[in-house]
Amino acid sequence: MKIVAIMGSPRRGGNSDIMLDAFLSPRDSLHSLEWIVPSRLNLGFCRGCRFCEAMGRCILRDDMDEVGEKLLEADKVVLSSPVFFYGFPASLKALVDRAQVFWSRKYKMGEKFKPKEGFLLAVGATSGGKLFEGIVLTTRYFFDAWGCEYRGGLFFRGFDQKGAIGECQECLEEIKEAGRSFLSSKNS
Ligand SMILES: Cc1cc2nc3c(=O)[nH]c(=O)nc-3n(C[C@H](O)[C@H](O)[C@H](O)COP(=O)(O)O)c2cc1C
């Protein structure tokens, strides 16, 4: 089984990183693991040019070529991200917008992608009831564009300082349990 982990925060060693490590810790060592860290990649912004709708590929040539291969080959995907202004950090959002090429291939050209399953881990500093609504919607539609079914998420409010979630043993246990269950289940 191929697992792909997307680390959405530009802050390495922060809360999203810690959540992702905890989630992946129960995985079977036989499973392959690929990392995608958008803030470390050379990813241009989607130009909205619609070249992909006509041609089935993006007009830009950069690290998205490799990211796309990883996404399409995955069986399980876990995305971990902080909330930035009720959305995703810009580097992750750049990647999400570039998935428009898969949306075009799927919905304009009728291509069928290998089915995958995806999980979201998200963290924010405040406690608002709607804190995660934006990124859940974006995640659902981002996943869907390349044949990945959204299987749920875990959401943590009130964590702001770098690594603060690492002090919450209850949170880490909950994340590990979700990882164990998600990564050990067969894709439906
Ligand atoms: C640019 C920026 C925007 C943010 N916007 C929000 C926000 O809208 N709501 C919120 O609750 N926290 C917001 N935060 C706080 C982060 O979500 C929080 O610090 C999170 O724990 C960071 O996770 P990380 O350590 O993985 O980067 C923002 C932080 C930054 C740097």
Side-chain angles (χ1 to χ4, degrees), residues 7-19 80-87 89 123-128 131-132 156-164:
M7 213 298 270
S9 177
R11 182 160 71 168
R12 297 308 301 270
N15 298 318
S16 308
D17 228 355
I18 291 169
M19 294 193 301
S80 186
S81 180
V83 173
F84 277 14
F85 288 95
Y86 284 78
V123 62
T126 60
S127 59
L131 184 56
F132 300 105
F156 298 93
R157 295 173 166 81
F159 294 96
D160 199 15
Q161 296 306 309
K162 183 176 181 178

PDB file of all heavy atoms in Angstrom, residues 7-19 80-87 89 123-128 131-132 156-164, ligand 1:
ATOM      1  N   MET A   7       2.178  17.638   4.266  1.00  0.00           N
ATOM      2  CA  MET A   7       2.402  18.483   5.433  1.00  0.00           C
ATOM      3  C   MET A   7       2.138  19.929   5.016  1.00  0.00           C
ATOM      4  O   MET A   7       2.940  20.561   4.338  1.00  0.00           O
ATOM      5  CB  MET A   7       3.839  18.306   5.918  1.00  0.00           C
ATOM      6  CG  MET A   7       3.978  18.442   7.424  1.00  0.00           C
ATOM      7  SD  MET A   7       3.522  20.061   8.053  1.00  0.00           S
ATOM      8  CE  MET A   7       5.094  20.897   7.962  1.00  0.00           C
ATOM      9  N   GLY A   8       0.972  20.432   5.413  1.00  0.00           N
ATOM     10  CA  GLY A   8       0.493  21.694   4.870  1.00  0.00           C
ATOM     11  C   GLY A   8       1.049  22.951   5.501  1.00  0.00           C
ATOM     12  O   GLY A   8       0.870  24.039   4.958  1.00  0.00           O
ATOM     13  N   SER A   9       1.696  22.820   6.654  1.00  0.00           N
ATOM     14  CA  SER A   9       2.186  24.036   7.310  1.00  0.00           C
ATOM     15  C   SER A   9       3.574  24.414   6.827  1.00  0.00           C
ATOM     16  O   SER A   9       4.424  23.550   6.644  1.00  0.00           O
ATOM     17  CB  SER A   9       2.242  23.835   8.834  1.00  0.00           C
ATOM     18  OG  SER A   9       2.792  24.996   9.429  1.00  0.00           O
ATOM     19  N   PRO A  10       3.825  25.714   6.694  1.00  0.00           N
ATOM     20  CA  PRO A  10       5.193  26.147   6.385  1.00  0.00           C
ATOM     21  C   PRO A  10       6.098  26.073   7.619  1.00  0.00           C
ATOM     22  O   PRO A  10       7.309  26.241   7.497  1.00  0.00           O
ATOM     23  CB  PRO A  10       5.008  27.602   5.939  1.00  0.00           C
ATOM     24  CG  PRO A  10       3.705  28.035   6.507  1.00  0.00           C
ATOM     25  CD  PRO A  10       2.861  26.815   6.698  1.00  0.00           C
ATOM     26  N   ARG A  11       5.521  25.820   8.814  1.00  0.00           N
ATOM     27  CA  ARG A  11       6.315  25.758  10.040  1.00  0.00           C
ATOM     28  C   ARG A  11       6.705  24.305  10.330  1.00  0.00           C
ATOM     29  O   ARG A  11       5.878  23.524  10.789  1.00  0.00           O
ATOM     30  CB  ARG A  11       5.500  26.334  11.212  1.00  0.00           C
ATOM     31  CG  ARG A  11       6.240  26.369  12.515  1.00  0.00           C
ATOM     32  CD  ARG A  11       5.639  27.341  13.506  1.00  0.00           C
ATOM     33  NE  ARG A  11       4.350  26.941  14.064  1.00  0.00           N
ATOM     34  CZ  ARG A  11       3.776  27.550  15.111  1.00  0.00           C
ATOM     35  NH1 ARG A  11       4.378  28.575  15.698  1.00  0.00           N
ATOM     36  NH2 ARG A  11       2.593  27.145  15.561  1.00  0.00           N
ATOM     37  N   ARG A  12       7.964  23.963  10.048  1.00  0.00           N
ATOM     38  CA  ARG A  12       8.424  22.592  10.306  1.00  0.00           C
ATOM     39  C   ARG A  12       8.546  22.387  11.810  1.00  0.00           C
ATOM     40  O   ARG A  12       8.944  23.285  12.536  1.00  0.00           O
ATOM     41  CB  ARG A  12       9.796  22.336   9.654  1.00  0.00           C
ATOM     42  CG  ARG A  12       9.825  22.422   8.129  1.00  0.00           C
ATOM     43  CD  ARG A  12       8.772  21.581   7.428  1.00  0.00           C
ATOM     44  NE  ARG A  12       8.837  20.154   7.705  1.00  0.00           N
ATOM     45  CZ  ARG A  12       9.538  19.262   6.999  1.00  0.00           C
ATOM     46  NH1 ARG A  12      10.259  19.653   5.975  1.00  0.00           N
ATOM     47  NH2 ARG A  12       9.507  17.995   7.310  1.00  0.00           N
ATOM     48  N   GLY A  13       8.176  21.182  12.250  1.00  0.00           N
ATOM     49  CA  GLY A  13       8.243  20.879  13.676  1.00  0.00           C
ATOM     50  C   GLY A  13       7.107  21.508  14.468  1.00  0.00           C
ATOM     51  O   GLY A  13       7.107  21.492  15.700  1.00  0.00           O
ATOM     52  N   GLY A  14       6.135  22.054  13.791  1.00  0.00           N
ATOM     53  CA  GLY A  14       4.982  22.671  14.457  1.00  0.00           C
ATOM     54  C   GLY A  14       3.858  21.659  14.674  1.00  0.00           C
ATOM     55  O   GLY A  14       4.067  20.435  14.619  1.00  0.00           O
ATOM     56  N   ASN A  15       2.672  22.179  14.889  1.00  0.00           N
ATOM     57  CA  ASN A  15       1.547  21.320  15.281  1.00  0.00           C
ATOM     58  C   ASN A  15       1.105  20.366  14.175  1.00  0.00           C
ATOM     59  O   ASN A  15       0.824  19.192  14.441  1.00  0.00           O
ATOM     60  CB  ASN A  15       0.391  22.209  15.754  1.00  0.00           C
ATOM     61  CG  ASN A  15       0.793  23.008  16.970  1.00  0.00           C
ATOM     62  OD1 ASN A  15       1.452  22.470  17.874  1.00  0.00           O
ATOM     63  ND2 ASN A  15       0.462  24.292  17.000  1.00  0.00           N
ATOM     64  N   SER A  16       1.087  20.831  12.941  1.00  0.00           N
ATOM     65  CA  SER A  16       0.675  19.950  11.835  1.00  0.00           C
ATOM     66  C   SER A  16       1.679  18.812  11.652  1.00  0.00           C
ATOM     67  O   SER A  16       1.299  17.664  11.382  1.00  0.00           O
ATOM     68  CB  SER A  16       0.570  20.746  10.534  1.00  0.00           C
ATOM     69  OG  SER A  16      -0.246  21.876  10.710  1.00  0.00           O
ATOM     70  N   ASP A  17       2.949  19.140  11.796  1.00  0.00           N
ATOM     71  CA  ASP A  17       4.010  18.139  11.677  1.00  0.00           C
ATOM     72  C   ASP A  17       3.869  17.068  12.759  1.00  0.00           C
ATOM     73  O   ASP A  17       3.956  15.862  12.481  1.00  0.00           O
ATOM     74  CB  ASP A  17       5.368  18.855  11.871  1.00  0.00           C
ATOM     75  CG  ASP A  17       6.384  18.490  10.808  1.00  0.00           C
ATOM     76  OD1 ASP A  17       6.081  17.617   9.979  1.00  0.00           O
ATOM     77  OD2 ASP A  17       7.474  19.081  10.816  1.00  0.00           O
ATOM     78  N   ILE A  18       3.622  17.517  13.981  1.00  0.00           N
ATOM     79  CA  ILE A  18       3.486  16.593  15.117  1.00  0.00           C
ATOM     80  C   ILE A  18       2.254  15.706  14.931  1.00  0.00           C
ATOM     81  O   ILE A  18       2.301  14.495  15.161  1.00  0.00           O
ATOM     82  CB  ILE A  18       3.419  17.393  16.443  1.00  0.00           C
ATOM     83  CG1 ILE A  18       4.786  18.024  16.719  1.00  0.00           C
ATOM     84  CG2 ILE A  18       2.974  16.520  17.601  1.00  0.00           C
ATOM     85  CD1 ILE A  18       4.791  19.037  17.844  1.00  0.00           C
ATOM     86  N   MET A  19       1.163  16.297  14.476  1.00  0.00           N
ATOM     87  CA  MET A  19      -0.060  15.509  14.242  1.00  0.00           C
ATOM     88  C   MET A  19       0.176  14.433  13.188  1.00  0.00           C
ATOM     89  O   MET A  19      -0.263  13.291  13.316  1.00  0.00           O
ATOM     90  CB  MET A  19      -1.201  16.429  13.790  1.00  0.00           C
ATOM     91  CG  MET A  19      -1.646  17.415  14.859  1.00  0.00           C
ATOM     92  SD  MET A  19      -3.222  18.219  14.457  1.00  0.00           S
ATOM     93  CE  MET A  19      -2.860  19.017  12.919  1.00  0.00           C
ATOM     94  N   SER A  80      -2.288  17.154   6.620  1.00  0.00           N
ATOM     95  CA  SER A  80      -2.267  17.815   7.920  1.00  0.00           C
ATOM     96  C   SER A  80      -1.989  19.298   7.715  1.00  0.00           C
ATOM     97  O   SER A  80      -1.023  19.668   7.045  1.00  0.00           O
ATOM     98  CB  SER A  80      -1.173  17.184   8.790  1.00  0.00           C
ATOM     99  OG  SER A  80      -1.226  17.701  10.098  1.00  0.00           O
ATOM    100  N   SER A  81      -2.828  20.146   8.310  1.00  0.00           N
ATOM    101  CA  SER A  81      -2.677  21.583   8.029  1.00  0.00           C
ATOM    102  C   SER A  81      -3.192  22.462   9.167  1.00  0.00           C
ATOM    103  O   SER A  81      -4.166  22.115   9.834  1.00  0.00           O
ATOM    104  CB  SER A  81      -3.449  21.946   6.759  1.00  0.00           C
ATOM    105  OG  SER A  81      -3.314  23.321   6.478  1.00  0.00           O
ATOM    106  N   PRO A  82      -2.581  23.621   9.335  1.00  0.00           N
ATOM    107  CA  PRO A  82      -3.185  24.637  10.192  1.00  0.00           C
ATOM    108  C   PRO A  82      -4.227  25.425   9.407  1.00  0.00           C
ATOM    109  O   PRO A  82      -4.237  25.405   8.172  1.00  0.00           O
ATOM    110  CB  PRO A  82      -1.989  25.546  10.528  1.00  0.00           C
ATOM    111  CG  PRO A  82      -1.111  25.459   9.338  1.00  0.00           C
ATOM    112  CD  PRO A  82      -1.299  24.075   8.756  1.00  0.00           C
ATOM    113  N   VAL A  83      -5.071  26.110  10.153  1.00  0.00           N
ATOM    114  CA  VAL A  83      -5.995  27.070   9.540  1.00  0.00           C
ATOM    115  C   VAL A  83      -5.277  28.411   9.448  1.00  0.00           C
ATOM    116  O   VAL A  83      -4.742  28.895  10.446  1.00  0.00           O
ATOM    117  CB  VAL A  83      -7.263  27.226  10.413  1.00  0.00           C
ATOM    118  CG1 VAL A  83      -8.153  28.334   9.873  1.00  0.00           C
ATOM    119  CG2 VAL A  83      -8.012  25.912  10.517  1.00  0.00           C
ATOM    120  N   PHE A  84      -5.243  28.977   8.273  1.00  0.00           N
ATOM    121  CA  PHE A  84      -4.739  30.337   8.063  1.00  0.00           C
ATOM    122  C   PHE A  84      -5.901  31.144   7.493  1.00  0.00           C
ATOM    123  O   PHE A  84      -6.360  30.872   6.368  1.00  0.00           O
ATOM    124  CB  PHE A  84      -3.578  30.349   7.049  1.00  0.00           C
ATOM    125  CG  PHE A  84      -2.207  30.007   7.612  1.00  0.00           C
ATOM    126  CD1 PHE A  84      -2.034  29.433   8.864  1.00  0.00           C
ATOM    127  CD2 PHE A  84      -1.064  30.270   6.862  1.00  0.00           C
ATOM    128  CE1 PHE A  84      -0.761  29.120   9.360  1.00  0.00           C
ATOM    129  CE2 PHE A  84       0.214  29.973   7.349  1.00  0.00           C
ATOM    130  CZ  PHE A  84       0.369  29.399   8.602  1.00  0.00           C
ATOM    131  N   PHE A  85      -6.383  32.125   8.246  1.00  0.00           N
ATOM    132  CA  PHE A  85      -7.520  32.935   7.789  1.00  0.00           C
ATOM    133  C   PHE A  85      -8.667  32.067   7.255  1.00  0.00           C
ATOM    134  O   PHE A  85      -9.198  32.292   6.173  1.00  0.00           O
ATOM    135  CB  PHE A  85      -7.079  33.959   6.736  1.00  0.00           C
ATOM    136  CG  PHE A  85      -6.261  35.092   7.329  1.00  0.00           C
ATOM    137  CD1 PHE A  85      -4.880  35.046   7.316  1.00  0.00           C
ATOM    138  CD2 PHE A  85      -6.882  36.176   7.923  1.00  0.00           C
ATOM    139  CE1 PHE A  85      -4.117  36.065   7.883  1.00  0.00           C
ATOM    140  CE2 PHE A  85      -6.133  37.194   8.497  1.00  0.00           C
ATOM    141  CZ  PHE A  85      -4.747  37.147   8.485  1.00  0.00           C
ATOM    142  N   TYR A  86      -9.001  31.044   8.022  1.00  0.00           N
ATOM    143  CA  TYR A  86     -10.117  30.132   7.712  1.00  0.00           C
ATOM    144  C   TYR A  86      -9.915  29.326   6.421  1.00  0.00           C
ATOM    145  O   TYR A  86     -10.849  28.725   5.904  1.00  0.00           O
ATOM    146  CB  TYR A  86     -11.467  30.873   7.702  1.00  0.00           C
ATOM    147  CG  TYR A  86     -11.928  31.166   9.110  1.00  0.00           C
ATOM    148  CD1 TYR A  86     -11.384  32.219   9.835  1.00  0.00           C
ATOM    149  CD2 TYR A  86     -12.861  30.345   9.739  1.00  0.00           C
ATOM    150  CE1 TYR A  86     -11.759  32.470  11.147  1.00  0.00           C
ATOM    151  CE2 TYR A  86     -13.241  30.581  11.050  1.00  0.00           C
ATOM    152  CZ  TYR A  86     -12.689  31.644  11.745  1.00  0.00           C
ATOM    153  OH  TYR A  86     -13.055  31.866  13.044  1.00  0.00           O
ATOM    154  N   GLY A  87      -8.698  29.321   5.930  1.00  0.00           N
ATOM    155  CA  GLY A  87      -8.393  28.522   4.746  1.00  0.00           C
ATOM    156  C   GLY A  87      -7.067  27.810   4.941  1.00  0.00           C
ATOM    157  O   GLY A  87      -6.578  27.668   6.071  1.00  0.00           O
ATOM    158  N   PRO A  89      -2.858  27.430   4.297  1.00  0.00           N
ATOM    159  CA  PRO A  89      -1.673  28.251   4.016  1.00  0.00           C
ATOM    160  C   PRO A  89      -1.448  28.352   2.501  1.00  0.00           C
ATOM    161  O   PRO A  89      -1.770  27.419   1.750  1.00  0.00           O
ATOM    162  CB  PRO A  89      -0.537  27.470   4.683  1.00  0.00           C
ATOM    163  CG  PRO A  89      -1.200  26.674   5.758  1.00  0.00           C
ATOM    164  CD  PRO A  89      -2.551  26.302   5.203  1.00  0.00           C
ATOM    165  N   VAL A 123      -5.601  22.003  12.573  1.00  0.00           N
ATOM    166  CA  VAL A 123      -5.391  22.692  13.853  1.00  0.00           C
ATOM    167  C   VAL A 123      -5.549  24.196  13.656  1.00  0.00           C
ATOM    168  O   VAL A 123      -5.184  24.730  12.612  1.00  0.00           O
ATOM    169  CB  VAL A 123      -3.997  22.324  14.432  1.00  0.00           C
ATOM    170  CG1 VAL A 123      -2.858  22.771  13.520  1.00  0.00           C
ATOM    171  CG2 VAL A 123      -3.803  22.872  15.841  1.00  0.00           C
ATOM    172  N   GLY A 124      -6.119  24.836  14.684  1.00  0.00           N
ATOM    173  CA  GLY A 124      -6.237  26.295  14.664  1.00  0.00           C
ATOM    174  C   GLY A 124      -6.054  26.832  16.071  1.00  0.00           C
ATOM    175  O   GLY A 124      -6.136  26.082  17.055  1.00  0.00           O
ATOM    176  N   ALA A 125      -5.819  28.128  16.162  1.00  0.00           N
ATOM    177  CA  ALA A 125      -5.509  28.735  17.461  1.00  0.00           C
ATOM    178  C   ALA A 125      -6.764  29.102  18.251  1.00  0.00           C
ATOM    179  O   ALA A 125      -6.755  29.097  19.475  1.00  0.00           O
ATOM    180  CB  ALA A 125      -4.668  29.983  17.246  1.00  0.00           C
ATOM    181  N   THR A 126      -7.814  29.407  17.560  1.00  0.00           N
ATOM    182  CA  THR A 126      -8.999  29.930  18.245  1.00  0.00           C
ATOM    183  C   THR A 126     -10.032  28.824  18.458  1.00  0.00           C
ATOM    184  O   THR A 126      -9.737  27.640  18.247  1.00  0.00           O
ATOM    185  CB  THR A 126      -9.606  31.105  17.440  1.00  0.00           C
ATOM    186  OG1 THR A 126      -9.962  30.620  16.144  1.00  0.00           O
ATOM    187  CG2 THR A 126      -8.627  32.249  17.309  1.00  0.00           C
ATOM    188  N   SER A 127     -11.247  29.219  18.857  1.00  0.00           N
ATOM    189  CA  SER A 127     -12.216  28.187  19.245  1.00  0.00           C
ATOM    190  C   SER A 127     -13.528  28.274  18.473  1.00  0.00           C
ATOM    191  O   SER A 127     -14.499  27.642  18.830  1.00  0.00           O
ATOM    192  CB  SER A 127     -12.498  28.303  20.743  1.00  0.00           C
ATOM    193  OG  SER A 127     -13.003  29.594  21.005  1.00  0.00           O
ATOM    194  N   GLY A 128     -13.549  29.072  17.420  1.00  0.00           N
ATOM    195  CA  GLY A 128     -14.804  29.293  16.681  1.00  0.00           C
ATOM    196  C   GLY A 128     -15.429  28.014  16.144  1.00  0.00           C
ATOM    197  O   GLY A 128     -14.734  27.119  15.673  1.00  0.00           O
ATOM    198  N   LEU A 131     -14.546  27.143  12.548  1.00  0.00           N
ATOM    199  CA  LEU A 131     -13.116  27.270  12.256  1.00  0.00           C
ATOM    200  C   LEU A 131     -12.644  26.380  11.116  1.00  0.00           C
ATOM    201  O   LEU A 131     -11.775  26.757  10.342  1.00  0.00           O
ATOM    202  CB  LEU A 131     -12.325  26.956  13.542  1.00  0.00           C
ATOM    203  CG  LEU A 131     -10.817  27.118  13.516  1.00  0.00           C
ATOM    204  CD1 LEU A 131     -10.412  28.518  13.083  1.00  0.00           C
ATOM    205  CD2 LEU A 131     -10.238  26.817  14.900  1.00  0.00           C
ATOM    206  N   PHE A 132     -13.209  25.180  11.020  1.00  0.00           N
ATOM    207  CA  PHE A 132     -12.685  24.223  10.040  1.00  0.00           C
ATOM    208  C   PHE A 132     -13.581  24.065   8.802  1.00  0.00           C
ATOM    209  O   PHE A 132     -13.277  23.252   7.935  1.00  0.00           O
ATOM    210  CB  PHE A 132     -12.463  22.873  10.729  1.00  0.00           C
ATOM    211  CG  PHE A 132     -11.471  22.978  11.866  1.00  0.00           C
ATOM    212  CD1 PHE A 132     -11.899  22.956  13.186  1.00  0.00           C
ATOM    213  CD2 PHE A 132     -10.123  23.137  11.612  1.00  0.00           C
ATOM    214  CE1 PHE A 132     -10.992  23.085  14.230  1.00  0.00           C
ATOM    215  CE2 PHE A 132      -9.204  23.265  12.647  1.00  0.00           C
ATOM    216  CZ  PHE A 132      -9.642  23.241  13.962  1.00  0.00           C
ATOM    217  N   PHE A 156      -8.488  20.205  15.854  1.00  0.00           N
ATOM    218  CA  PHE A 156      -8.024  20.636  17.168  1.00  0.00           C
ATOM    219  C   PHE A 156      -7.993  22.155  17.249  1.00  0.00           C
ATOM    220  O   PHE A 156      -7.323  22.817  16.465  1.00  0.00           O
ATOM    221  CB  PHE A 156      -6.646  20.033  17.457  1.00  0.00           C
ATOM    222  CG  PHE A 156      -6.690  18.527  17.501  1.00  0.00           C
ATOM    223  CD1 PHE A 156      -6.424  17.774  16.362  1.00  0.00           C
ATOM    224  CD2 PHE A 156      -7.062  17.877  18.670  1.00  0.00           C
ATOM    225  CE1 PHE A 156      -6.515  16.390  16.392  1.00  0.00           C
ATOM    226  CE2 PHE A 156      -7.153  16.494  18.708  1.00  0.00           C
ATOM    227  CZ  PHE A 156      -6.876  15.741  17.570  1.00  0.00           C
ATOM    228  N   ARG A 157      -8.724  22.668  18.257  1.00  0.00           N
ATOM    229  CA  ARG A 157      -8.820  24.119  18.477  1.00  0.00           C
ATOM    230  C   ARG A 157      -7.932  24.532  19.647  1.00  0.00           C
ATOM    231  O   ARG A 157      -7.697  23.745  20.558  1.00  0.00           O
ATOM    232  CB  ARG A 157     -10.252  24.501  18.828  1.00  0.00           C
ATOM    233  CG  ARG A 157     -11.234  24.270  17.714  1.00  0.00           C
ATOM    234  CD  ARG A 157     -12.657  24.514  18.229  1.00  0.00           C
ATOM    235  NE  ARG A 157     -13.602  24.620  17.132  1.00  0.00           N
ATOM    236  CZ  ARG A 157     -14.128  23.586  16.492  1.00  0.00           C
ATOM    237  NH1 ARG A 157     -13.802  22.358  16.851  1.00  0.00           N
ATOM    238  NH2 ARG A 157     -14.975  23.773  15.498  1.00  0.00           N
ATOM    239  N   GLY A 158      -7.493  25.773  19.630  1.00  0.00           N
ATOM    240  CA  GLY A 158      -6.812  26.336  20.800  1.00  0.00           C
ATOM    241  C   GLY A 158      -5.322  26.050  20.869  1.00  0.00           C
ATOM    242  O   GLY A 158      -4.719  26.210  21.931  1.00  0.00           O
ATOM    243  N   PHE A 159      -4.720  25.655  19.774  1.00  0.00           N
ATOM    244  CA  PHE A 159      -3.275  25.404  19.758  1.00  0.00           C
ATOM    245  C   PHE A 159      -2.592  26.403  18.830  1.00  0.00           C
ATOM    246  O   PHE A 159      -2.883  26.440  17.642  1.00  0.00           O
ATOM    247  CB  PHE A 159      -2.974  23.968  19.296  1.00  0.00           C
ATOM    248  CG  PHE A 159      -3.479  22.933  20.260  1.00  0.00           C
ATOM    249  CD1 PHE A 159      -4.704  22.328  20.068  1.00  0.00           C
ATOM    250  CD2 PHE A 159      -2.735  22.595  21.383  1.00  0.00           C
ATOM    251  CE1 PHE A 159      -5.190  21.380  20.971  1.00  0.00           C
ATOM    252  CE2 PHE A 159      -3.200  21.658  22.301  1.00  0.00           C
ATOM    253  CZ  PHE A 159      -4.434  21.047  22.080  1.00  0.00           C
ATOM    254  N   ASP A 160      -1.689  27.178  19.399  1.00  0.00           N
ATOM    255  CA  ASP A 160      -1.071  28.244  18.611  1.00  0.00           C
ATOM    256  C   ASP A 160       0.453  28.152  18.618  1.00  0.00           C
ATOM    257  O   ASP A 160       1.091  28.255  17.559  1.00  0.00           O
ATOM    258  CB  ASP A 160      -1.519  29.609  19.163  1.00  0.00           C
ATOM    259  CG  ASP A 160      -1.307  30.737  18.167  1.00  0.00           C
ATOM    260  OD1 ASP A 160      -1.093  30.449  16.970  1.00  0.00           O
ATOM    261  OD2 ASP A 160      -1.360  31.901  18.585  1.00  0.00           O
ATOM    262  N   GLN A 161       1.035  27.952  19.794  1.00  0.00           N
ATOM    263  CA  GLN A 161       2.495  27.939  19.881  1.00  0.00           C
ATOM    264  C   GLN A 161       3.071  26.723  19.157  1.00  0.00           C
ATOM    265  O   GLN A 161       2.439  25.662  19.115  1.00  0.00           O
ATOM    266  CB  GLN A 161       2.946  27.907  21.347  1.00  0.00           C
ATOM    267  CG  GLN A 161       2.547  29.140  22.134  1.00  0.00           C
ATOM    268  CD  GLN A 161       3.013  30.432  21.478  1.00  0.00           C
ATOM    269  OE1 GLN A 161       4.184  30.563  21.137  1.00  0.00           O
ATOM    270  NE2 GLN A 161       2.103  31.359  21.265  1.00  0.00           N
ATOM    271  N   LYS A 162       4.261  26.884  18.645  1.00  0.00           N
ATOM    272  CA  LYS A 162       4.929  25.787  17.936  1.00  0.00           C
ATOM    273  C   LYS A 162       5.045  24.560  18.844  1.00  0.00           C
ATOM    274  O   LYS A 162       5.599  24.654  19.953  1.00  0.00           O
ATOM    275  CB  LYS A 162       6.320  26.238  17.497  1.00  0.00           C
ATOM    276  CG  LYS A 162       7.062  25.200  16.682  1.00  0.00           C
ATOM    277  CD  LYS A 162       8.392  25.735  16.194  1.00  0.00           C
ATOM    278  CE  LYS A 162       9.105  24.700  15.357  1.00  0.00           C
ATOM    279  NZ  LYS A 162      10.369  25.198  14.826  1.00  0.00           N
ATOM    280  N   GLY A 163       4.490  23.454  18.394  1.00  0.00           N
ATOM    281  CA  GLY A 163       4.617  22.195  19.131  1.00  0.00           C
ATOM    282  C   GLY A 163       3.669  22.029  20.298  1.00  0.00           C
ATOM    283  O   GLY A 163       3.733  21.022  21.006  1.00  0.00           O
ATOM    284  N   ALA A 164       2.754  22.975  20.503  1.00  0.00           N
ATOM    285  CA  ALA A 164       1.862  22.918  21.677  1.00  0.00           C
ATOM    286  C   ALA A 164       1.036  21.638  21.708  1.00  0.00           C
ATOM    287  O   ALA A 164       0.776  21.081  22.783  1.00  0.00           O
ATOM    288  CB  ALA A 164       0.944  24.139  21.692  1.00  0.00           C
TER     289      ALA A 164
HETATM  290  C1  LIG B   1      -0.973  33.623   8.695  1.00  0.00           C
HETATM  291  C2  LIG B   1      -1.708  32.935   9.814  1.00  0.00           C
HETATM  292  C3  LIG B   1      -3.087  32.924   9.813  1.00  0.00           C
HETATM  293  C4  LIG B   1      -3.792  32.266  10.822  1.00  0.00           C
HETATM  294  N1  LIG B   1      -5.153  32.257  10.805  1.00  0.00           N
HETATM  295  C5  LIG B   1      -5.840  31.634  11.790  1.00  0.00           C
HETATM  296  C6  LIG B   1      -7.263  31.615  11.778  1.00  0.00           C
HETATM  297  O1  LIG B   1      -7.935  32.139  10.887  1.00  0.00           O
HETATM  298  N2  LIG B   1      -7.900  30.999  12.807  1.00  0.00           N
HETATM  299  C7  LIG B   1      -7.201  30.383  13.819  1.00  0.00           C
HETATM  300  O2  LIG B   1      -7.839  29.838  14.744  1.00  0.00           O
HETATM  301  N3  LIG B   1      -5.847  30.350  13.831  1.00  0.00           N
HETATM  302  C8  LIG B   1      -5.151  30.959  12.846  1.00  0.00           C
HETATM  303  N4  LIG B   1      -3.774  30.939  12.848  1.00  0.00           N
HETATM  304  C9  LIG B   1      -3.061  30.160  13.901  1.00  0.00           C
HETATM  305  C10 LIG B   1      -2.611  28.766  13.438  1.00  0.00           C
HETATM  306  O3  LIG B   1      -3.677  28.042  12.865  1.00  0.00           O
HETATM  307  C11 LIG B   1      -2.063  27.988  14.652  1.00  0.00           C
HETATM  308  O4  LIG B   1      -0.975  28.692  15.215  1.00  0.00           O
HETATM  309  C12 LIG B   1      -1.624  26.580  14.312  1.00  0.00           C
HETATM  310  O5  LIG B   1      -1.435  25.859  15.509  1.00  0.00           O
HETATM  311  C13 LIG B   1      -0.339  26.554  13.493  1.00  0.00           C
HETATM  312  O6  LIG B   1      -0.032  25.230  13.165  1.00  0.00           O
HETATM  313  P1  LIG B   1       1.455  24.806  12.685  1.00  0.00           P
HETATM  314  O7  LIG B   1       2.305  24.807  13.942  1.00  0.00           O
HETATM  315  O8  LIG B   1       1.289  23.461  12.117  1.00  0.00           O
HETATM  316  O9  LIG B   1       1.884  25.824  11.686  1.00  0.00           O
HETATM  317  C14 LIG B   1      -3.058  31.595  11.859  1.00  0.00           C
HETATM  318  C15 LIG B   1      -1.658  31.624  11.856  1.00  0.00           C
HETATM  319  C16 LIG B   1      -0.975  32.277  10.855  1.00  0.00           C
HETATM  320  C17 LIG B   1       0.542  32.289  10.871  1.00  0.00           C
END
